[in-house]
Amino acid sequence: MNFLTRFSLKNAVAVFIISFLLILGGLYSFSKLKVDLLPNIEFPQLSVEVTYPGASPEDINEQVTSKLEDKFKGIEGVKKVQSSSYESVAIINLEFPFNTDMDEVEQQVNSNIDDSSLPDQVKAKVNRFSFGALPIYNISLFAKGDTDLQKVIEDDLTPELNKIEGINSVSTGGLKEQMLQITVDKDKAAKAGLSLNDIKDQLKSKDLSFPAGKVQETETEIPIRVQEKVDEVAKLKELTFKSAVIPNAPPVKLSDIAKIEEVSDQSQLTRYNEKDSFSMAITKKQDANSVQVADEVVKVLNKYDNKLDYKIGFDSAQGIKDSVETLVREGLLGAVFASLAVLLFLRNIRATIIAIISIPLSLLVSSIFLQQLDISLNIMTLGGMAVAVGRVVDDSIVVIENIFRRVRRAETTINNEIVLESTKEILKAITSSTITTVVVFLPLGFVGGITSEFFLPFALTIVFSLITSLLVAVTIVPILAKFSFKKVPAEEKEGALQRGYAKVIKWSLGHKWIVLLVSILLLVGSFAFVPKLGFTFIPNEEQKTLVASVELPGSTPLEKTNNVSLKLEEMFGKEKNIKEVTADVGGRNFMTGLQRQNQANYFITLKDNVDTGKYVEQLQKKMDDIASAESKKALVGVQEQSSGGPPTNDNVDINLYSSNLDSLQKASKKVEDYMNENKELKNISNNFSDKQRQVVIDIDPQKADQYGVSGMQILGTIADQTQPADVGKLTLDGKERQVQLSYSKDVTSVDQLKDTQLFTAKGPIPISEVADIQEKDTFTAIQKLDGKVFAQVSAQVTTDNVRQTTNDVVEGVKKLDLPKDVSLEGGGGSEETVNTFKDLGLAMIVAIGLVYITMLITFGKARIPFIILSSLVFVPIGALLFLVIVGEPLSISVMIGFLMLIGIVTTNAIVLVDRVSQNREEKGMTIDDALIEAGKTRLRPILMTAFATITALIPLALSTSSGTLISKGLAITVIGGLISSTILTLIIIPVMYEIFFRRQVKKERRMLKRQ
């Protein structure tokens, strides 16, 4: 690469113009980068949501879920099929490996659904999941003055929000649906021989419009349309209806047997801090810029400030801004610290400025590549930039220090020849060290899964920055040095540090085995820290937003759920630790996505000084006391809002299997109680539902045949009595309205149901004549995993040692006295964590192999790479010590830190060994002299590069701000590992060099004695 330096020196103006254009391009690209919290990773998962109105969990399981599961199991590569069958709804989740083509899988799933011969009323929807499609806002809206806010939302606000580029969906809760309610007098309708379905069918038949051919005139064709319109409420009242089952019954007007009125229906109630509101949830498209979309949403809302007020209950965009600002701040602080570190050693402002010029250039050029690859600015790319700040100056430091040193020794003033020779002298060292740091990230592909996908933007950012920094070091730095070092002070005599280090080398070379023994003892001793560290996937980051819910028995009406919710919200309002609460009664559950009238969900924002972990337990107990007083079977849940990111894998799961649902219920309750007693667990959940009372109607086929009635007729009659009939939409008085039919009296008891009249050929009879009607206890949901009915009791581990706690819980559950027909499997995230750690261990071995090959190509000798790699052995000493001091557990980010250290640590060894090789090959020095001279010459650049990297990472390591969680463990690992390895490298490398070349050393010493 020396030709680049030669070209740059000859064409300085051209290089500066190119650099200026790259800076402009980098600034432009950086401004255009999408801003998000996380990399846009699509999970290899599909969720199939199936609706079958009116079907019981058993019916959905038999007629829908099981059929689909059998089909889905045949899809190539499917890892897991998990289903939940509720009343009227089923959810089936499919999981695949990360390299799966999800577009193709989605096509197969849709084909399987079409081929499964499902009942006609069944509707299925396939959903995919990625970080990028998560909601960005949950907003509460309030009317100002006498504004008809619902009209504003439906007619103006929602359409305008949907026009924003990047908006995926805008869904509003709390809306009232205006409908025309036809309330039929049950007794009068019975006398007329009419049911709700009869009225509905006859009403629809009177509102028609169909083409009926054409009339051929002389030269034209005129289309014919036959229509009968009911376009006014007055006409609707005058319609006549006649019974089909009682021929002698006279026709009746609708107004004679029914009351017709306009009513409003509200299936979902939303409030903000106990105040009624409309609730608006906004999601963005997968590849949209979260912050930009959020800003545009606020702009649109502000346009309507004369008609509405709004409060943002959940705001992921603000969290993204905070995380980005934090990482930018830590990165800038790191750059300042690195600059001060360089200045401290060089003691020359011009040399320092030249050395740190690589920081902005490298990061801006990397932004160009990130934008071209459509990678967003997120906590991983910014974390990569923050980590790279200290490393990108290394090459420039080595170059500028060598030029500076050579100029001070030269008898003439600086010229192209001195600059060229100075750069050439360390070119091999900086090139090989940069390449080794880059190649260590290649084995991340071996890890696979979410870890590889999640850390890929981080790795690419560092790789782009390092490659750019190398180019800057061999092009721009020499030019700037040439113009800056016209006058420099003469070379100083060897400093005390260099003289002292020379003595240390001499002593170490004379006491090799003592040095090695002490180093090995330090290494072995450092592993004693491992049990104290804990073992987790990604450390938990405390959130100030909670997601809470209360679920009442399945048959609970919305009114009862709302009453319970109001009491809970009153309690929330009195809590000093709670800042704001968004309540959603009868809406979709934040976790499952199911909309049910027996549940209420809450977004709870806590104040900044609250200890979230402790407060969650207190709040859950208070919620449980209130909900249990209203319903003993009420289920309450409170947990921290997930910030996304790779799974923390801090969960422990107990899966229980049995075909006996009663045994499964008892077992899951025992396990749940046991886990609730464990202080190392939180957020315990049991997916097995309780029973609820259900009326079961068993038709007697023989009696039904005697009366000439079918099962569908009986079903229609029962449905007619117990649920409204939906007529659909009619345009009346110029306004489209939803029309619904219902009886004036509801069925309030099983006895009334038994006495319900069924019209037959032999006359009306009670349903109890042809069917047995009983109340039974049935389960409200059926859960299955890979086709087997199961219950899962899960919890989140609060300790750092997730693996140990998981093992203790599983062993404890095995000792419980569970029903004999129940089998169990225990595990959780710790298993995936262990597998990922193993994969990362393999990646490190491969990385070391790649580093060896790189150095073998660079130096051309098989022994030299082994000498350099010996510096890696002592990385754990400082890394593990610092992790213990800070209290950071072993995690994936720590392991990535170790992976980075493979490249960073070998840099120092390469710089030292390269000088030794030059001394031997070009100057003919003995190994002892070559080692001592190399040590004294390279001491300063080695300490400078290490110190610059360490100081640049200090802000990240000390930060407690949101968004630095993943980078923090990595920074601590690199700082500790780099400190111990740098100190030991300066001592061990000379020792190892002599050991590997011991024959040559003995030969040279014998020759010196003869002289």
Side-chain angles (χ1 to χ4, degrees), residues 302-351:
N302 289 338
K303 286 170 63 176
Y304 294 88
D305 59 0
N306 61 326
K307 296 180 180 179
L308 60 85
D309 284 323
Y310 67 90
K311 294 287 185 181
I312 299 175
F314 173 70
D315 183 358
S316 68
Q318 188 58 48
I320 293 169
K321 289 177 183 177
D322 292 343
S323 296
V324 168
E325 287 173 5
T326 296
L327 281 165
V328 169
R329 183 178 66 249
E330 310 301 359
L332 290 174
L333 277 173
V336 171
F337 286 3
S339 304
L340 292 174
V342 175
L343 180 61
L344 180 67
F345 279 89
L346 289 178
R347 288 174 290 174
N348 184 295
I349 293 177
R350 284 177 296 174

Coordinates of all heavy atoms in Angstrom, one line a residue, residues 302-351:
N302 N -50.9 18.6 16.0 CA -50.9 20.0 16.4 C -51.7 20.9 15.5 O -52.2 22.0 15.8 CB -49.4 20.5 16.4 CG -48.6 19.9 17.5 OD1 -49.2 19.5 18.5 ND2 -47.3 19.9 17.4
K303 N -52.0 20.4 14.2 CA -52.9 21.2 13.3 C -54.3 21.3 13.8 O -55.1 22.1 13.4 CB -52.8 20.6 11.9 CG -51.5 20.8 11.2 CD -51.4 20.0 9.9 CE -52.5 20.3 8.9 NZ -52.3 19.6 7.6
Y304 N -54.6 20.3 14.7 CA -56.0 20.2 15.2 C -56.1 20.7 16.7 O -57.0 20.3 17.4 CB -56.6 18.8 15.1 CG -56.7 18.3 13.7 CD1 -55.7 17.7 13.0 CD2 -57.9 18.5 13.0 CE1 -55.8 17.3 11.7 CE2 -58.1 18.1 11.6 CZ -57.0 17.5 11.0 OH -57.2 17.1 9.7
D305 N -55.2 21.5 17.1 CA -55.1 21.9 18.5 C -56.3 22.8 18.9 O -56.5 23.0 20.1 CB -53.8 22.6 18.8 CG -53.6 23.9 18.0 OD1 -54.4 24.2 17.1 OD2 -52.5 24.5 18.1
N306 N -57.0 23.3 17.9 CA -58.2 24.1 18.3 C -59.4 23.2 18.5 O -60.5 23.6 19.0 CB -58.6 25.1 17.2 CG -58.9 24.4 15.9 OD1 -58.2 23.4 15.5 ND2 -59.8 25.0 15.1
K307 N -59.3 21.9 18.2 CA -60.4 20.9 18.3 C -60.1 19.8 19.3 O -61.1 19.2 19.8 CB -60.7 20.3 16.9 CG -61.2 21.3 15.9 CD -61.4 20.6 14.6 CE -61.9 21.6 13.5 NZ -62.2 20.9 12.2
L308 N -58.9 19.6 19.6 CA -58.6 18.4 20.5 C -57.3 18.7 21.3 O -56.4 19.5 20.9 CB -58.4 17.2 19.7 CG -57.4 17.1 18.6 CD1 -56.0 16.7 19.2 CD2 -57.8 16.0 17.5
D309 N -57.2 18.0 22.4 CA -56.0 17.9 23.2 C -55.5 16.5 23.1 O -56.3 15.5 22.9 CB -56.3 18.3 24.7 CG -56.4 19.8 24.9 OD1 -55.6 20.5 24.2 OD2 -57.2 20.2 25.7
Y310 N -54.2 16.3 23.3 CA -53.8 14.9 23.3 C -52.7 14.7 24.3 O -51.9 15.6 24.7 CB -53.3 14.5 21.9 CG -52.0 15.2 21.5 CD1 -50.7 14.7 21.7 CD2 -52.1 16.4 20.7 CE1 -49.6 15.3 21.3 CE2 -51.0 17.1 20.3 CZ -49.7 16.5 20.6 OH -48.6 17.2 20.2
K311 N -52.6 13.4 24.8 CA -51.5 13.0 25.7 C -50.9 11.7 25.2 O -51.7 10.8 24.7 CB -52.0 12.7 27.1 CG -52.5 14.0 27.8 CD -51.4 14.9 28.2 CE -51.8 16.1 29.1 NZ -50.7 16.9 29.5
I312 N -49.6 11.6 25.2 CA -48.9 10.4 24.6 C -48.6 9.5 25.8 O -47.8 9.8 26.6 CB -47.7 10.8 23.9 CG1 -48.0 11.7 22.7 CG2 -46.9 9.5 23.4 CD1 -46.8 12.2 21.9
G313 N -49.3 8.3 25.9 CA -49.1 7.4 26.9 C -47.9 6.5 26.7 O -47.2 6.1 27.6
F314 N -47.8 6.0 25.5 CA -46.6 5.2 25.1 C -45.9 5.9 24.0 O -46.5 6.1 22.9 CB -47.1 3.8 24.7 CG -46.0 2.9 24.2 CD1 -45.0 2.5 25.1 CD2 -45.9 2.6 22.9 CE1 -43.9 1.7 24.6 CE2 -44.9 1.8 22.4 CZ -43.9 1.3 23.2
D315 N -44.6 6.1 24.1 CA -43.9 6.9 23.1 C -42.5 6.2 22.9 O -41.5 6.5 23.6 CB -43.7 8.3 23.6 CG -43.0 9.2 22.6 OD1 -42.6 8.7 21.5 OD2 -42.8 10.4 22.9
S316 N -42.5 5.3 21.9 CA -41.2 4.6 21.6 C -40.2 5.6 20.9 O -39.0 5.4 21.0 CB -41.4 3.4 20.7 OG -41.9 3.8 19.4
A317 N -40.8 6.6 20.2 CA -39.9 7.5 19.5 C -39.0 8.3 20.4 O -37.9 8.6 20.2 CB -40.8 8.5 18.6
Q318 N -39.6 8.7 21.6 CA -38.8 9.5 22.6 C -37.7 8.6 23.1 O -36.6 9.1 23.4 CB -39.7 10.0 23.7 CG -39.0 11.0 24.6 CD -38.4 12.2 23.9 OE1 -39.1 12.8 23.2 NE2 -37.2 12.5 24.2
G319 N -38.0 7.3 23.4 CA -37.0 6.4 23.8 C -35.9 6.3 22.8 O -34.7 6.2 23.2
I320 N -36.2 6.3 21.5 CA -35.2 6.2 20.5 C -34.3 7.4 20.5 O -33.1 7.3 20.4 CB -35.9 6.0 19.1 CG1 -36.6 4.6 19.0 CG2 -34.9 6.1 18.0 CD1 -37.5 4.5 17.8
K321 N -35.0 8.6 20.6 CA -34.2 9.8 20.6 C -33.2 9.9 21.8 O -32.1 10.2 21.6 CB -35.2 11.0 20.7 CG -36.0 11.3 19.4 CD -36.9 12.5 19.6 CE -37.8 12.7 18.4 NZ -38.8 13.8 18.6
D322 N -33.7 9.4 23.0 CA -32.9 9.4 24.2 C -31.7 8.5 24.0 O -30.6 8.9 24.3 CB -33.7 9.0 25.4 CG -34.8 10.1 25.8 OD1 -34.6 11.2 25.3 OD2 -35.7 9.7 26.5
S323 N -31.9 7.3 23.4 CA -30.9 6.3 23.3 C -29.8 6.8 22.2 O -28.6 6.7 22.5 CB -31.4 5.0 22.8 OG -32.3 4.4 23.8
V324 N -30.3 7.4 21.1 CA -29.4 7.9 20.1 C -28.6 9.1 20.7 O -27.4 9.2 20.5 CB -30.2 8.4 18.9 CG1 -29.3 9.2 17.9 CG2 -30.8 7.2 18.2
E325 N -29.3 10.0 21.4 CA -28.5 11.2 21.9 C -27.5 10.7 22.9 O -26.4 11.2 23.0 CB -29.5 12.1 22.6 CG -30.4 12.9 21.6 CD -31.5 13.7 22.3 OE1 -31.5 13.7 23.5 OE2 -32.3 14.3 21.6
T326 N -27.8 9.7 23.7 CA -26.9 9.2 24.7 C -25.7 8.6 24.0 O -24.5 8.9 24.4 CB -27.6 8.1 25.6 OG1 -28.6 8.6 26.3 CG2 -26.6 7.4 26.5
L327 N -25.9 7.8 23.0 CA -24.7 7.2 22.3 C -23.9 8.2 21.6 O -22.7 8.1 21.5 CB -25.2 6.0 21.4 CG -25.6 4.7 22.1 CD1 -26.4 3.8 21.2 CD2 -24.3 4.0 22.6
V328 N -24.6 9.2 21.0 CA -23.8 10.2 20.3 C -23.0 11.0 21.3 O -21.8 11.3 21.1 CB -24.8 11.2 19.6 CG1 -24.0 12.5 19.1 CG2 -25.4 10.5 18.4
R329 N -23.6 11.3 22.5 CA -22.8 12.0 23.5 C -21.6 11.2 24.0 O -20.5 11.7 24.2 CB -23.8 12.3 24.7 CG -23.1 13.1 25.8 CD -24.1 13.5 26.9 NE -24.5 12.3 27.7 CZ -25.8 11.8 27.6 NH1 -26.7 12.4 26.9 NH2 -26.1 10.8 28.3
E330 N -21.9 9.9 24.3 CA -20.8 9.0 24.8 C -19.7 8.9 23.7 O -18.5 8.8 24.0 CB -21.3 7.6 25.2 CG -22.5 7.6 26.1 CD -22.3 8.3 27.4 OE1 -21.2 8.8 27.6 OE2 -23.3 8.3 28.2
G331 N -20.1 8.8 22.4 CA -19.1 8.8 21.4 C -18.3 10.0 21.3 O -17.1 9.9 21.1
L332 N -18.9 11.2 21.4 CA -18.2 12.4 21.3 C -17.2 12.6 22.5 O -16.1 13.0 22.4 CB -19.2 13.6 21.3 CG -20.0 13.8 20.0 CD1 -21.0 14.9 20.2 CD2 -19.0 14.1 18.8
L333 N -17.7 12.2 23.7 CA -16.9 12.2 24.9 C -15.7 11.3 24.7 O -14.5 11.6 25.1 CB -17.7 11.8 26.1 CG -18.5 12.8 26.8 CD1 -19.4 12.2 27.9 CD2 -17.6 13.9 27.4
G334 N -15.9 10.1 24.1 CA -14.9 9.2 23.8 C -13.8 9.8 22.9 O -12.6 9.6 23.1
A335 N -14.3 10.5 21.9 CA -13.4 11.1 20.9 C -12.5 12.2 21.6 O -11.3 12.3 21.4 CB -14.2 11.8 19.8
V336 N -13.2 13.0 22.5 CA -12.4 14.0 23.3 C -11.4 13.3 24.2 O -10.2 13.7 24.2 CB -13.4 14.8 24.1 CG1 -12.6 15.7 25.1 CG2 -14.3 15.6 23.3
F337 N -11.8 12.2 24.9 CA -10.8 11.5 25.8 C -9.7 10.9 25.0 O -8.5 11.0 25.4 CB -11.6 10.4 26.5 CG -12.4 10.9 27.6 CD1 -12.6 12.3 27.9 CD2 -13.1 10.0 28.5 CE1 -13.4 12.8 28.9 CE2 -13.9 10.5 29.5 CZ -14.1 11.9 29.7
A338 N -10.0 10.4 23.8 CA -8.9 9.8 23.0 C -8.0 10.9 22.5 O -6.7 10.6 22.5 CB -9.5 9.1 21.8
S339 N -8.5 12.0 22.2 CA -7.7 13.1 21.7 C -6.7 13.6 22.8 O -5.5 13.8 22.6 CB -8.5 14.3 21.3 OG -9.4 13.9 20.2
L340 N -7.3 13.7 24.0 CA -6.4 14.1 25.2 C -5.3 13.1 25.5 O -4.2 13.4 25.9 CB -7.3 14.3 26.4 CG -8.3 15.5 26.4 CD1 -9.2 15.5 27.6 CD2 -7.5 16.8 26.3
A341 N -5.7 11.8 25.3 CA -4.7 10.7 25.5 C -3.6 10.9 24.5 O -2.4 10.7 24.9 CB -5.4 9.4 25.4
V342 N -3.9 11.1 23.2 CA -2.9 11.3 22.2 C -2.0 12.5 22.5 O -0.8 12.5 22.4 CB -3.5 11.4 20.8 CG1 -2.4 11.7 19.8 CG2 -4.2 10.2 20.5
L343 N -2.7 13.6 22.9 CA -1.9 14.9 23.2 C -1.0 14.7 24.4 O 0.1 15.2 24.5 CB -2.9 16.0 23.6 CG -2.3 17.3 23.9 CD1 -1.5 17.9 22.8 CD2 -3.5 18.3 24.3
L344 N -1.4 13.9 25.4 CA -0.6 13.6 26.6 C 0.7 12.9 26.2 O 1.8 13.2 26.8 CB -1.4 12.7 27.5 CG -0.7 12.3 28.8 CD1 -0.5 13.5 29.7 CD2 -1.5 11.2 29.6
F345 N 0.7 12.0 25.2 CA 1.9 11.3 24.8 C 2.7 12.1 23.8 O 3.9 12.2 23.9 CB 1.5 10.0 24.2 CG 1.3 8.9 25.2 CD1 0.0 8.7 25.8 CD2 2.3 8.1 25.7 CE1 -0.2 7.8 26.7 CE2 2.1 7.2 26.7 CZ 0.8 7.0 27.2
L346 N 2.0 12.7 22.8 CA 2.8 13.4 21.7 C 3.3 14.8 22.2 O 4.3 15.3 21.7 CB 1.9 13.6 20.5 CG 1.7 12.3 19.7 CD1 0.7 12.6 18.5 CD2 2.9 11.7 19.2
R347 N 2.5 15.4 23.1 CA 2.8 16.7 23.6 C 3.0 17.7 22.4 O 3.9 18.6 22.5 CB 4.0 16.7 24.5 CG 3.7 16.1 25.9 CD 4.9 15.9 26.7 NE 5.8 14.9 26.1 CZ 7.0 14.6 26.6 NH1 7.5 15.3 27.6 NH2 7.8 13.6 26.0
N348 N 2.2 17.5 21.4 CA 2.3 18.4 20.2 C 0.9 18.5 19.6 O 0.3 17.5 19.2 CB 3.3 17.8 19.2 CG 3.5 18.7 18.0 OD1 2.5 19.0 17.2 ND2 4.7 19.2 17.8
I349 N 0.4 19.8 19.7 CA -1.0 20.0 19.2 C -1.2 19.6 17.8 O -2.2 19.0 17.4 CB -1.5 21.4 19.5 CG1 -1.5 21.7 21.0 CG2 -2.8 21.7 18.9 CD1 -1.8 23.1 21.4
R350 N -0.3 20.0 16.9 CA -0.4 19.7 15.5 C -0.4 18.2 15.2 O -1.2 17.7 14.5 CB 0.7 20.4 14.7 CG 0.5 21.9 14.5 CD 1.7 22.5 13.8 NE 2.9 22.4 14.6 CZ 4.1 22.8 14.2 NH1 4.3 23.2 13.0 NH2 5.2 22.6 15.0
A351 N 0.5 17.5 15.9 CA 0.5 16.1 15.7 C -0.7 15.4 16.2 O -1.2 14.4 15.6 CB 1.8 15.5 16.5

